[in-house]
Amino acid sequence: MSLSAKQLIIAFLGILFLASLVLVQYTEVMRREEEAGLREHKVAVPESSKRCFECHRQTNPGIAEHWLGSTHAQKGIGCIECHEAQTTDADAFSHEGYTIATIVTPRDCSKCHPKEADEFQNSHHAMAGNILHSLDNLLAETVEGSRIPFDPHSKTPGRPDIDGKVNGMASAFTGCQQCHGSLVGFAGRDGKPVTMKDLEPDAAGKPTNLEAVARITKNADGKPIFSPGSWPNTGIGRINVDGSRGSCSACHSRHDFSPRRARQPENCGKCHLGPDHPQKEIYDESKHGIAFADLRHKMNLDAKDWVLGKDYSAAPTCATCHMSGHSKNEGTITHDPGQRISWTNRPPISLAMDTDINGKVVTEADPAKRNELVKDTWQNKRDRMTQVCSHCHTNDYISSFYKQYDDFVQLYNEKFAKPGTLIMNALKANGLITKPNFDEEIEWTWFYLWHHEGRRARHGAAMMAPDYAHWHGMYEVAERFYMELIPQAREHCEHGRQNGKAKEADDVLALIDSILARPEHKWSKGEAK
Amino acid sequence: MGAGLVASYGTLAWFASRFLYPKRDEEGAWLFVCTVNRLEPGSSLLFKIPGGETIAVARNGRGADAGDFVALSSTCPHLGCQVHWEANKDRFFCPCHNGAFDRGGKAIAGPPAQAGTDLKQYRLRVDGSLLYINVPSELLAKAEPNGKPAREARGELHGRIVERVAVRGPGHDPCLAPRNPETSREC
Amino acid sequence: MTAGSWLRERFPVDGDQLRELTNEPVPAHLKRWWFCLGGTPAYLFLVQIVTGILLAFYYQASSTNAYESVRHITEDLEYGWFLRGIHKWGATLMVASVILHQMRVYFTGAYRKPRELNWIVGMFILLCTLVLGFTGYSLVGEQLSYWAATVGANITNNVPLIGPTLGRLLIAGDQINPQTLPRFFILHGAVLPVVLVLLLFLHITILRLHGVTDFGATKEEKEKRFDFFPDHFLTEVTIGLVLMILLTVLATVFPVGMGPAADPLSTPEVIKPEWFFLVTFRWLKLMPITAAILSLGFIFFVMLIWPFIDGWFRKRRPASELSVWIGILAVLAIIGLTVWEALVQH
C-alpha cells in the first residue's frame, strides 16, 4: 500500500473516530438531561404495548404515568404481559387487535411471581371473600341494606336518574367488599350475575360451563359487562371469574406496583383500622409506630430487597414483622401474614394458630386428633415471629413479652369471651332469643363485646398499644359485659318466664349466677375485690 | 490526515479535560414552588428549600411569565444574616448592619449598597401554570430526602412554603388581607 | 541563533542519528496487517495508562468509598462513563491482543533461537497483563470485585509452601479487610504498570537488537525491507485509530454500568471471573485445588521454557511440525475450557 493511500485511510479513520466521539457526546448530553430531570428516564415501552401506551397515555394519563414509574416499566413488562387473555377465558375480549381481559388476577400475576401467588392463595387474606353472606355481612346486606332491591319512598329532587329501585347491597359493595373482595361477576342476560360459581372454571381458570358463558352480556364492542357491584374492586379476597382468589393490587396498587408503598403501614391501613380491628391505629400508638413516624427517612424504603437487619433496622412496619424478609431467614418474604401469628384474635374466643394443611385454624380439641390435623403449629409461627423480634430485642425480652400477651389473651378468653359465648348460646338454645341475628339488642351487645372491644383489647396487647389494650379494650369489654350483657340476658330470662318458658329461664339464670359466682366475677356482687 | 488526527484526538482530550475539570453544576435542581395563581400580583412568599435556605419569591407583574416573578435569597450578602421584607418601607431589610434592598434585590442602603452587592437572585421558570425555582446543587447538598444524599434523590426534593406575605395588605397579618380563598389556605 | 540549533545544542542528536534510532527498516512481511498484533497491545497499554491516570484522579481505594467513587465517576462526572468504558474495554482488548500476538509468534515460530529470551519476557508480559486485569476488576467494589479478590486470595493460599504467606501478602490479612483495596490499587496503578513498562522496554530492545523475525523464503524476499518511519508508523497509527473507534463504540453501545455493591455477607450464587480467567477457573474445578495449582504452575513453566524444549526437539527432528500441532491442541483446549466455563451455570 502506498504512503499516500495510508494517509488517506488515516484521514478517513480520523473522521470516523470523530464521528464515534460525536456519538459519545450525544450519549453524554442525553445522560445529563436525564440527570437534571429534563428528560424522563428512558423507559422503553415494549413493542407489544406501544399502541396501548400511546393511546392510553392520551385517554388515561394517570395509568401511563404510574406505569412509567414502575419496576415493570424498567424491566420491559408492558400492558399486554398482564392483561393478555385467551379467547377461551370468560372475561376475554378483543380490543384493538389484542385479546385482553380487564381484571388482572393473581393467576395472571403468578405467571411471573409463582411463589408469591402460592403463598398468598394459602393465606387468610385470600379467604377474605368468604365473609360474603357471613355473619358480618348480614349487617351490611340486611341490617344496613337489603338483599332485595326496594322502591324509593320519595323522589330525590334534581336526580330523576336515580329514581329507580334502591340497591340494598350498596353498603356491602362499597363497604365490606372493597376490603374483603367481591365475588366478581358479569351482568347476565337474565338479570342474574354470572360469577365463577356459574362458570365453574377448571384448574387452568377456563370456564367449563359454556351455558353460563353464553349468559354474559357484552357491549357493542364485544367487551363483557361486569355487574356493577362487583367491579371496580381491589378487595384482598376477591373471588375472580377464573376461580383464583384475591387481588394483588390490594397491596401493590396498580399501575406502579410500588414495593415501597406495600412496605408502609398506610398501605395496610386501608382495611386494618376502625372500631373492630384498629391495627393501624394500634401500630401508630405503639413504640414501633412511633419509631417509624420519626425514622421513616431511614427506612430505606426503596431498597431492592428490603431485608430487615441488612437494608434497614430503624423501625418495623406491618410488613416488617408479618411478611418481609429479614437477616435471620435469608431475607425470605412471605405473602401469607398468618405464618408468623400465634393467636388468632378474630373469633369471639381467641384460638391458638395451629393450622391444617389448607392453612385453616384447627378447632379440634382432642389432643390426638388435633395432632394429626395440625400441619403448622402456633409455636412454629411464634418462632418465626421471634426471629423478627430478635433483630431488636433479646430473647428474654421477647419471651417475657409473649408471656404478657398470652396472659392477656387468656384473661380475656376466660373472664369474658367463654362466659359470654356460654350465655349467648344458652339464650339461643333455650329459645329465649330468636334465631336471626341482630334483631335483639343483646346480639348487638355481644357483637360489640367480642367483635369490636374484645378485638381491640387483644390487638392492643399483641401490638403493644396500652391504650387500646385497656381503655378502648378491656375496660369497654368489662363495661359491656357487666352493665349490658348480663342485665340484658337476665331481662330475656324474665321475659321468657312471663311467656311460658320458666324452666328455660331458670336454667339460663342459673348459668349466669354460676358464672358470676366465680372468683374473678365475685367482686360484682360486692363480695370481693 | 493531520487535521483528522488532531480533530479526533483533540476531541478526546477535550472530553478528558471536561472529566477532570471540577463540576460547577450550574444546572441545579428545579423545585416546584406553587401554582401561579396562588401567588397574586404584589404578594410574596417565603420558600424554604430542603437544604434549609429560605428564599423570598414575589410576583411583581400581572403577567404569568417567569419575568413577572422574582426569587431572592434571604441571606444578606454582607455577613450572612437573614433579611426580611418590610412592607411599609417596601424594602428588604437586614437587621445586622441596616442593610436594605429594593423589591428587585438591589442593594439600596447600608454596607451592601456600599459594596454594591445585591441579594442573590434565583432563576425561575413557569411551566404551564406551575412555578419552579432553580436551586444550585451546593445549597441542596445538605438535604437528605429519605436518608439519601440530595444528588441521588433529585426527584424527591421538595421545598416548603413557610410564610405568605401580602406586600401591601392591610394590617400585619397576611391572613387578614382580602384575598382569594384559595391563596389563604396557608394562614 | 535559530531555534533548531538552540535545541540541538542542548539536545545533541542530529537528524541522521534520530532517524537511525527510530527508523530501522522492517521486513516486507510487516506490510501484512496480522503481523502488527505486537503493536496493538502496546497501543492499548498506552490508552490504559492515559485513561487509568484520568480515573485515578477520582477513584478512592478504600473499602467504604471504592464503590461510591466508581459510581461517581460513572454516573456523575462528565464523560466519566466513557473513560471508564474505554478503560474496561481497553483491558479486554489488551488481553485479547496479547494472546493473539503470542499465538502469532508461536505459530510462526518467531520465538526460536536466538529469540528465546524475548519469548520469556513475553510470557511475563502476559502474566503481568492478566494480573493487571484481575487487580483492575477487583478495584470496582462490586460483588464481582469482592468475590473475585476472595477467590484469588483463596487460590493463592493453596499454593504449596509459600501459598499462605503469599495470600496474606496479597490481601493484607487472612481475609479481605480495609487494607486490601489500597494494596490492589497500588499493584494495579503503580507496581504492575511500571513492571510492564520495563518488560516492554526489554521486549522491544531485544526485538530491535535482533531485528524483526524474517519469514521470507528466498534471499531476495529476505532483503526486501521498507522504512519504519513513516511507512510502518502510519500502519500503526491506522491500527490505533481503528482501536479508538472500536473502543469508543464499545464503550457507548455496551456501557459499563454498576453491578451490585460488594456484600461480604452474601456470596452470589454464580461467581464468574472475567472471560480471560474462565479457562483457569474451569481448570481449578476439574481437580483438587492443589493439583490444579501445581499443574497450572507446571503448564506455565513449560510455556516459559518452550523455546528450549522446542529447540531440543528440533535438533533431533528438524522437519517436525510437532510444535504446530501442540499449539493447535493447546488453543483448542483453552477455547474449549473457556466456552465450557462460560456456558455452564456452576
Side-chain angles (χ1 to χ4, degrees):
Chain A
M1 198 180 291
S2 74
L3 264 180
S4 59
K6 269 190 185 174
Q7 284 174 347
L8 268 178
I9 288 176
I10 290 174
F12 171 72
L13 287 175
I15 291 163
L16 206 60
F17 181 25
L18 197 62
S20 65
L21 288 176
V22 170
L23 177 70
V24 171
Q25 175 65 24
Y26 172 79
T27 317
E28 173 74 11
V29 168
M30 290 296 117
R31 186 186 72 85
R32 284 161 53 75
E33 284 189 0
E34 216 171 83
E35 195 182 63
L38 297 175
R39 179 178 296 275
E40 282 291 334
H41 276 276
K42 223 187 263 159
V43 167
V45 180
E47 204 51 50
S48 55
S49 298
K50 256 205 177 110
R51 283 180 52 229
C52 323
F53 184 79
E54 286 311 323
C55 188
H56 282 280
R57 181 156 41 192
Q58 303 294 322
T59 54
N60 322 93
I63 294 183
E65 282 302 311
H66 262 210
W67 176 81
L68 277 176
S70 71
T71 312
H72 275 173
Q74 284 170 20
K75 305 223 159 164
I77 307 298
C79 317
I80 204 72
E81 281 77 4
C82 304
H83 282 283
E84 187 178 35
Q86 265 104 46
T87 44
T88 45
D89 290 329
D91 54 349
F93 63 100
S94 177
H95 179 63
E96 299 289 327
Y98 292 108
T99 304
I100 61 165
T102 304
I103 301 181
V104 176
T105 71
R107 186 186 296 280
D108 299 314
C109 304
S110 72
K111 283 187 287 189
C112 301
H113 306 281
K115 176 180 168 282
E116 289 77 7
D118 247 28
E119 282 171 349
F120 176 78
Q121 292 299 318
N122 276 324
S123 71
H124 196 67
H125 268 158
M127 304 297 148
N130 289 353
I131 197 179
L132 306 174
H133 312 296
S134 75
L135 175 71
D136 278 24
N137 238 38
L138 175 77
L139 281 172
E141 291 169 11
T142 305
V143 180
E144 297 164 26
S146 161
R147 288 198 175 143
I148 308 158
F150 60 94
D151 289 319
H153 306 296
S154 66
K155 302 247 176 232
T156 304
R159 288 299 303 269
D161 55 314
I162 57 166
D163 274 0
K165 290 269 186 197
V166 175
N167 182 353
M169 293 294 282
S171 177
F173 288 154
T174 7
C176 315
Q177 296 186 9
Q178 288 302 343
C179 280
H180 284 270
S182 60
L183 176 60
V184 178
F186 303 104
R189 290 183 198 286
D190 54 356
K192 280 192 227 147
V194 184
T195 69
M196 60 83 73
K197 289 180 180 165
D198 309 292
L199 296 162
E200 297 164 22
D202 60 14
K206 311 280 179 214
T208 56
N209 182 349
L210 298 179
E211 181 271 327
V213 176
R215 276 205 295 127
I216 298 171
T217 46
K218 305 200 166 174
N219 73 5
D221 298 330
K223 182 179 175 181
I225 298 168
F226 288 102
S227 67
S230 69
W231 176 258
N233 185 289
T234 53
I236 199 156
R238 194 176 63 203
I239 303 167
N240 301 297
V241 290
D242 61 5
S244 67
R245 286 171 163 268
S247 146
C248 300
S249 62
C251 303
H252 301 283
S253 308
R254 58 183 181 253
H255 280 95
D256 60 355
F257 316 100
S258 151
R260 180 192 169 83
R261 208 170 309 142
R263 288 163 182 169
Q264 300 185 62
E266 287 75 12
N267 201 53
C268 314
K270 177 195 166 196
C271 296
H272 290 272
L273 82 174
D276 58 336
H277 48 40
Q279 286 102 332
K280 170 66 170 58
E281 292 95 324
I282 285 170
Y283 168 80
D284 286 342
E285 189 201 315
S286 73
K287 282 287 191 200
H288 289 161
I290 295 166
F292 174 72
D294 180 24
L295 302 172
R296 193 173 203 134
H297 59 288
K298 292 190 173 167
M299 292 293 288
N300 201 4
L301 287 163
D302 289 312
K304 186 171 161 288
D305 294 321
W306 208 57
V307 175
L308 173 66
K310 221 176 95 188
D311 294 319
Y312 72 104
S313 30
T317 68
C318 311
T320 303
C321 299
H322 293 289
M323 307 184 80
S324 301
H326 53 78
S327 70
K328 302 188 179 187
N329 75 348
E330 287 85 47
T332 314
I333 301 163
T334 173
H335 276 73
D336 175 4
Q339 288 199 1
R340 300 178 190 167
I341 292 179
S342 45
W343 280 111
T344 169
N345 294 322
R346 192 190 56 79
I349 303 169
S350 290
L351 300 171
M353 275 282 277
D354 286 333
T355 47
D356 66 12
I357 193 161
N358 298 317
K360 279 205 172 136
V361 178
V362 176
T363 49
E364 176 62 53
D366 179 68
K369 284 189 196 158
R370 190 178 172 90
N371 236 351
E372 254 171 52
L373 287 171
V374 173
K375 281 284 166 293
D376 189 33
T377 64
W378 69 267
Q379 186 65 55
N380 285 344
K381 296 184 168 78
R382 182 164 292 183
D383 291 347
R384 276 179 221 130
M385 184 62 97
T386 303
Q387 283 189 321
V388 183
C389 308
S390 67
H391 282 78
C392 303
H393 304 290
T394 60
N395 284 335
D396 279 353
Y397 187 98
I398 300 163
S399 53
S400 301
F401 158 74
Y402 269 122
K403 171 80 177 121
Q404 291 179 352
Y405 175 37
D406 285 349
D407 286 354
F408 188 95
V409 172
Q410 204 193 3
L411 172 66
Y412 161 82
N413 269 359
E414 300 302 326
K415 189 164 179 184
F416 300 111
K418 288 183 182 173
T421 309
L422 274 181
I423 294 169
M424 289 305 292
N425 289 348
L427 285 172
K428 201 160 264 185
N430 285 297
L432 296 170
I433 55 174
T434 56
K435 276 263 147 60
N437 255 317
F438 295 112
D439 62 334
E440 277 127 346
E441 191 185 5
I442 193 168
E443 285 163 332
W444 292 78
T445 303
W446 171 235
F447 187 69
Y448 272 121
L449 192 154
W450 71 267
H451 186 270
H452 284 41
E453 292 136 6
R455 280 192 193 162
R456 289 204 294 260
R458 288 172 281 166
H459 290 150
M463 293 183 285
M464 294 140 305
D467 196 55
Y468 279 91
H470 181 246
W471 289 118
H472 294 307
M474 285 301 260
Y475 165 79
E476 297 199 35
V477 168
E479 192 218 5
R480 190 78 67 187
F481 185 81
Y482 291 119
M483 297 300 133
E484 293 183 27
L485 188 81
I486 298 291
Q488 286 167 10
R490 287 189 197 281
E491 217 172 280
H492 278 289
C493 293
E494 290 308 323
H495 192 73
R497 192 199 306 285
Q498 284 160 21
N499 289 296
K501 288 189 173 168
K503 163 87 178 56
E504 288 89 340
D506 283 343
D507 282 355
V508 176
L509 281 173
L511 172 72
I512 295 173
D513 285 335
S514 75
I515 287 171
L516 292 182
R518 292 173 180 172
E520 68 270 24
H521 292 294
K522 258 190 182 163
W523 72 273
S524 66
K525 302 192 155 182
E527 287 171 24
K529 280 184 187 148
Chain B
M1 179 184 81
L5 285 176
V6 169
S8 53
Y9 279 95
T11 312
L12 187 64
W14 168 245
F15 285 0
S17 66
R18 295 285 301 174
F19 173 74
L20 285 185
Y21 191 72
K23 226 179 163 186
R24 230 200 348 258
D25 209 357
E26 283 167 339
E27 293 295 323
W30 287 101
L31 301 185
F32 172 68
V33 182
C34 64
T35 52
V36 168
N37 61 9
R38 293 194 62 191
L39 189 60
E40 283 178 29
S43 68
S44 71
L45 55 79
L46 285 181
F47 184 71
K48 198 177 178 92
I49 61 169
E53 176 93 344
T54 312
I55 297 169
V57 184
R59 184 169 183 180
N60 291 336
R62 299 212 77 87
D65 294 331
D68 295 309
F69 298 85
V70 62
L72 298 170
S73 163
S74 62
T75 304
C76 180
H78 178 218
L79 290 174
C81 294
Q82 288 290 301
V83 301
H84 61 265
W85 176 251
E86 288 187 338
N88 50 351
K89 294 188 178 147
D90 204 24
R91 65 175 192 182
F92 289 98
F93 184 71
C94 176
C96 291
H97 300 92
N98 297 337
F101 308 85
D102 71 6
R103 303 177 66 185
K106 193 175 168 358
I108 46 176
Q114 284 157 23
T117 46
D118 303 333
L119 284 178
K120 186 171 159 38
Q121 280 212 25
Y122 293 92
R123 282 191 292 157
L124 290 164
R125 173 168 68 110
V126 175
D127 199 350
S129 61
L130 313 175
L131 180 65
Y132 290 88
I133 186 167
N134 185 277
V135 183
S137 296
E138 58 266 23
L139 283 185
L140 292 172
K142 276 175 271 170
E144 289 195 348
N146 300 320
K148 284 181 280 184
R151 71 180 144 61
E152 282 178 33
R154 278 283 158 84
E156 294 168 42
L157 288 172
H158 300 289
R160 185 160 63 82
I161 295 170
V162 286
E163 197 185 334
R164 287 174 171 275
V165 189
V167 172
R168 278 181 291 268
H172 58 278
D173 183 350
C175 300
L176 293 176
R179 57 221 321 261
N180 169 352
E182 217 203 302
T183 60
S184 42
R185 221 176 274 158
E186 305 303 316
C187 294
Chain C
M1 199 198 294
T2 63
S5 58
W6 183 91
L7 188 68
R8 214 164 293 126
E9 202 174 323
R10 280 149 188 86
F11 191 74
V13 174
D14 64 28
D16 289 340
Q17 282 172 314
L18 197 65
R19 209 161 296 128
E20 199 192 340
L21 218 64
T22 58
N23 207 12
E24 181 180 277
V26 287
H29 72 266
L30 276 187
K31 291 226 168 194
R32 277 174 277 173
W33 296 93
W34 57 87
F35 283 95
C36 302
L37 277 171
T40 303
Y43 179 81
L44 286 169
F45 183 44
L46 201 67
V47 171
Q48 293 304 87
I49 290 175
V50 172
T51 51
I53 288 174
L54 288 170
L55 293 174
F57 274 96
Y58 292 100
Y59 178 72
Q60 296 174 22
S62 88
S63 50
T64 45
N65 295 349
Y67 185 82
E68 168 56 26
S69 66
V70 177
R71 194 208 57 75
H72 179 63
I73 291 170
T74 316
E75 292 175 6
D76 297 345
L77 292 169
E78 285 185 64
Y79 304 107
W81 59 273
F82 174 58
L83 293 170
R84 181 171 166 232
I86 290 194
H87 197 71
K88 151 94 197 220
W89 281 109
T92 298
L93 294 189
M94 185 169 158
V95 175
S97 59
V98 167
I99 292 171
L100 286 175
H101 170 63
Q102 192 188 15
M103 275 165 57
R104 200 275 294 156
V105 168
Y106 182 89
F107 285 112
T108 54
Y111 57 87
R112 286 179 183 140
K113 191 181 165 189
R115 295 183 173 83
E116 298 101 324
L117 284 182
N118 224 12
W119 168 268
I120 292 174
V121 173
M123 279 302 292
F124 282 109
I125 289 178
L126 173 70
L127 191 67
C128 205
T129 312
L130 291 178
V131 180
L132 268 169
F134 166 72
T135 48
Y137 71 81
S138 298
L139 288 178
V140 184
E142 292 175 355
Q143 272 287 66
L144 175 69
S145 323
Y146 182 89
W147 293 101
T150 306
V151 172
N154 286 340
I155 293 173
T156 319
N157 279 334
N158 277 296
V159 175
L161 294 176
I162 52 165
T165 319
L166 216 57
R168 281 180 61 83
L169 201 61
L170 180 67
I171 59 168
D174 292 321
Q175 51 199 6
I176 308 246
N177 59 57
Q179 273 78 49
T180 311
L181 267 187
R183 243 165 231 241
F184 275 56
F185 186 44
I186 288 166
L187 277 179
H188 181 82
V191 179
L192 291 170
V194 169
V195 170
L196 192 50
V197 166
L198 293 176
L199 285 171
L200 275 178
F201 180 75
L202 202 58
H203 202 60
I204 293 167
T205 309
I206 295 175
L207 170 84
R208 289 293 309 278
L209 291 176
H210 283 302
V212 176
T213 320
D214 254 322
F215 297 107
T218 62
K219 190 167 164 47
E220 194 178 299
E221 272 179 42
K222 272 186 203 268
E223 278 169 5
K224 214 170 135 196
R225 311 228 151 211
F226 68 103
D227 282 348
F228 179 85
F229 195 89
D231 204 338
H232 188 66
F233 179 75
L234 287 185
T235 308
E236 296 288 344
V237 168
T238 313
I239 289 172
L241 278 173
V242 171
L243 287 171
M244 285 320 290
I245 294 167
L246 189 61
L247 283 175
T248 308
V249 171
L250 283 173
T252 316
V253 179
F254 304 103
V256 185
M258 298 301 296
D263 178 2
L265 295 178
S266 89
T267 318
E269 270 171 39
V270 184
I271 325 178
K272 288 275 170 89
E274 285 284 358
W275 63 272
F276 42 87
F277 284 123
L278 287 176
V279 51
T280 334
F281 212 56
R282 176 44 58 185
W283 189 261
L284 288 170
K285 289 179 188 172
L286 285 179
M287 57 196 81
I289 183 102
T290 315
I293 290 168
L294 285 178
S295 55
L296 277 178
F298 179 71
I299 291 170
F300 182 80
F301 181 71
V302 168
M303 285 170 76
L304 197 65
I305 60 159
W306 178 254
F308 301 107
I309 298 174
D310 180 70
W312 175 82
F313 188 77
R314 280 164 65 86
K315 249 185 232 161
R316 278 154 190 78
R317 306 274 298 274
S320 168
E321 294 279 330
L322 188 71
S323 71
V324 175
W325 290 110
I326 289 179
I328 289 173
L329 273 181
V331 170
L332 285 179
I334 289 171
I335 293 176
L337 288 172
T338 304
V339 171
W340 182 6
E341 179 63 31
L343 291 184
V344 293
Q345 272 294 311
H346 296 289

